[in-house]
């Protein structure tokens, strides 16, 4: 059972990496397109598109925002929900499940967040840009994983796992930073309703509600309550994900019955006539495969089904839309002063130098203190240093924090 579970977990982690890397390519294309359009004759239309207001109105109640805010406050809440599901999965069953496995990535993420923020503040403390210290803290998991995937076998598996786990831990820090330092004035009444809705999600979890659709309405209401509270609305996504069941109650359908049913379908598949021209044999095989797939999906906990269903939409739709909406920066007006500005220098040094020093230094210190160690005989410190360079890609979270 332990072996079977570890195989499932490793495959889930592999699918996560594959989806992130493919989605990173699409997001990169969307960002490039935004830059091209924002510096073309279509620039006015581009800005008008994202500053068009729309929303819902019922009587005296209304919810209206610009298109870019619907993306940043609405669609990105879905992104943070998936991040929350991934964090919970990794903490319960994955790379962050034990202290020994989690120590180095988590400590590395802490160092890779604190040192860049310190470098930025050293350049901008007391100035107009002081509040931007959160910008160089973030690591873009999609781009980092994409580059690792492009390196193929030249990037060892342990490094891909380490960088992915580090980026997930980095996302946790980014969510805390957004919630604590980049939210507005708090509305205690809205926060109270957010707390009630979290209790509803907790009760649903304890009662064993496994159908993902049951969670839709409480999660949407939670998003609205957090949006009204002054805490950034995207934090609702991570909070909701914490209460999605990661295991199933087996009282209704025992595991033995589920396994027996799937074994019968596998036998049917194996015994089907192996004649390509036979429509009857093809129908038998397709029906058996459909039953196997349905059985596997229905036997999974709600967390895994939600992550499997939503993750591709986030990678191939939500994040590219976010990139296209926020990466449209006009570069024509950038003069020599831009590159000597303390804001620019603080971000560049933070992401490039700060990530290297923070991640490698914190990881080395943690290993010296006995908190963890790199894989014996396979890992090299120069490979970790290369991973720390990739962690300096701070696209999604950096732009998100900058917009706040």
């Amino acid at each position: 059972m332990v072996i079977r579970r570890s195989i499932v977990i490793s495959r889930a982690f592999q699918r996560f990496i594959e989806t992130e890397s493919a989605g990173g390519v699409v997001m990169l294309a969307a960002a490039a397109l935004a830059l091209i359009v924002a510096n073309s004759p279509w620039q006015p239309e581009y800005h008008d598109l994202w500053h068009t207001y729309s929303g819902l109105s019922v009587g005296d109640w209304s919810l209206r925002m610009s298109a870019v805010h619907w993306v940043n406050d609405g669609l990105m809440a879905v992104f943070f929900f998936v991040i929350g599901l991934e964090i919970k999965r990794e903490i319960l069953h994955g790379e962050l499940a034990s202290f020994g496995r989690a120590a180095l990535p988590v400590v590395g993420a802490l160092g890779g967040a604190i040192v860049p923020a310190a470098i930025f503040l050293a350049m901008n403390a007391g100035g107009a840009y002081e509040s931007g210290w959160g910008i160089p803290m973030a690591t873009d998991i999609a781009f980092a994983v994409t580059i690792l995937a492009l390196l193929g076998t030249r990037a060892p598996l342990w490094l891909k796992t380490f960088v992915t786990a580090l980026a997930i831990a980095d996302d946790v820090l980014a969510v805390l930073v957004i919630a604590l330092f980049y939210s507005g004035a708090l509305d205690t009444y809205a926060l109270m309703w957010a707390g009630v809705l979290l209790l509803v999600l907790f009760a649903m979890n304890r009662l064993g509600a496994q159908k993902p659709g049951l969670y839709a309405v409480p999660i949407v209401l939670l998003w609205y309550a957090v949006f009204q509270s002054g805490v950034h609305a995207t934090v609702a996504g991570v909070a909701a994900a914490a209460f999605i069941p990661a295991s199933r109650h087996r009282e209704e359908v025992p595991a033995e019955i589920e396994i027996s049913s799937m074994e019968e379908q596998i036998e049917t598949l194996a015994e089907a006539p192996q004649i390509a021209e036979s429509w009857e044999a093809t129908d038998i095989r397709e029906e058996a495969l459909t039953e196997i797939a349905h059985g596997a999906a229905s036997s999974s906990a709600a967390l895994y089904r939600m992550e499997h269903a939503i993750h591709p939409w986030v990678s191939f739709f939500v994040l590219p839309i976010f990139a296209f909406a926020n990466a449209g920066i006009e570069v024509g007006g950038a003069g020599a002063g831009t590159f000597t500005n303390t804001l620019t220098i603080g971000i560049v040094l933070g992401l490039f130098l700060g990530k290297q020093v923070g991640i490698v230094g914190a990881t080395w210190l943690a290993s010296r203190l006995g908190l963890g160690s790199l894989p014996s005989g396979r890992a090299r410190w120069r490979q970790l240093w290369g991973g720390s360079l990739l962690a300096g890609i701070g696209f999604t979270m950096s732009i998100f924090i900058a917009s706040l």
Side-chain angles (χ1 to χ4, degrees):
M1 193 67 174
V2 174
I3 295 174
R4 187 175 298 174
R5 173 171 287 184
S6 66
I7 292 173
V8 172
I9 293 168
S10 64
R11 287 177 180 171
F13 196 71
Q14 184 178 1
R15 286 196 299 269
F16 165 73
I17 292 177
E18 290 172 352
T19 305
E20 286 288 346
S21 60
V25 174
V26 178
M27 185 167 64
L28 179 61
L33 180 61
L35 282 170
I36 292 170
V37 173
N39 292 275
S40 72
W42 296 291
Q43 176 199 19
E45 289 80 5
Y46 172 82
H47 286 292
D48 289 344
L49 169 66
W50 295 114
H51 290 86
T52 301
Y53 276 75
S54 61
L56 301 172
S57 295
V58 179
D60 295 332
W61 176 88
S62 67
L63 178 62
R64 293 178 59 82
M65 293 188 289
S66 64
V68 70
H69 277 101
W70 276 115
V71 171
N72 292 349
D73 292 359
L75 280 181
M76 286 300 283
V78 182
F79 164 72
F80 277 85
F81 179 69
V82 172
I83 288 293
L85 294 177
E86 291 163 358
I87 291 169
K88 183 172 182 177
R89 168 171 57 79
E90 291 303 309
I91 288 175
L92 292 178
H93 305 300
E95 294 302 314
L96 306 179
S98 66
F99 180 81
R101 297 172 69 180
L104 290 189
V106 170
V107 172
L110 283 170
I114 294 171
V115 175
I119 290 175
F120 183 92
L121 285 173
M123 302 295 301
N124 293 279
Y129 307 119
E130 183 179 39
S131 61
W133 56 269
I135 297 171
M137 291 177 61
T139 292
D140 193 286
I141 187 171
F143 281 157
V145 170
T146 298
I147 295 175
L148 282 171
L150 292 174
L151 291 173
T153 56
R154 287 171 292 179
L157 180 60
W158 78 265
L159 182 62
K160 295 177 182 179
T161 303
F162 182 92
V163 171
T164 306
L166 181 143
I168 291 172
D170 192 278
D171 285 335
V172 177
L173 294 175
V175 171
L176 291 174
V177 166
I178 291 169
L180 296 175
F181 300 103
Y182 290 97
S183 295
L186 298 181
D187 183 328
T188 54
Y189 183 72
L191 280 176
M192 180 193 71
W193 276 109
V196 170
L197 289 163
L198 287 176
L199 287 175
V200 170
L201 291 173
F202 174 77
M204 293 174 67
N205 182 309
R206 300 303 298 171
L207 291 171
Q210 290 290 339
K211 292 184 179 180
L214 295 175
Y215 291 88
V217 172
I219 289 175
V220 171
L221 292 176
L222 175 64
W223 173 85
Y224 180 72
V226 175
F227 175 79
Q228 294 292 334
S229 73
V231 177
H232 199 272
T234 52
V235 176
V238 178
F243 296 95
I244 303 300
S247 60
R248 292 185 71 231
H249 296 286
R250 297 286 183 173
E251 289 78 3
E252 295 182 6
V253 183
E256 293 78 9
I257 296 178
E258 291 180 342
I259 293 172
S260 176
S261 176
M262 293 182 70
E263 285 176 346
E264 290 178 7
Q265 295 302 327
I266 293 172
E267 289 177 5
T268 301
L269 184 65
E271 294 171 359
Q274 300 300 312
I275 304 174
E277 293 77 11
S278 172
W279 286 101
E280 182 181 358
T282 301
D283 287 343
I284 291 173
R285 287 195 293 270
E286 287 185 354
E287 184 177 351
L289 286 170
T290 301
E291 289 296 325
I292 291 171
H294 177 73
S298 61
S299 65
S300 300
L303 183 146
Y304 297 95
R305 281 185 279 167
M306 286 186 176
E307 185 181 358
H308 180 73
I310 302 174
H311 193 187
W313 285 97
V314 168
S315 295
F316 298 110
F317 178 74
V318 173
L319 289 181
I321 291 292
F322 170 81
F324 186 66
N326 290 275
I329 301 168
E330 300 172 44
V331 297
T338 301
F339 302 100
T340 58
N341 193 299
T342 57
L343 174 64
T344 306
I345 295 173
I347 293 174
V348 171
L349 289 181
L351 284 172
F352 180 69
L353 182 62
K355 285 291 184 181
Q356 295 178 61
V357 173
I359 293 172
V360 177
T363 304
W364 177 84
L365 182 61
S367 65
R368 294 285 292 179
L369 294 174
L371 297 179
S373 61
L374 298 182
S376 177
R378 292 181 292 150
R380 298 289 182 271
W381 283 101
R382 65 175 181 270
Q383 294 171 335
L384 180 65
W385 169 76
S388 71
L389 281 170
L390 296 183
I393 305 174
F395 186 79
T396 305
M397 285 294 191
S398 292
I399 290 179
F400 190 77
I401 292 175
S403 70
L404 298 180

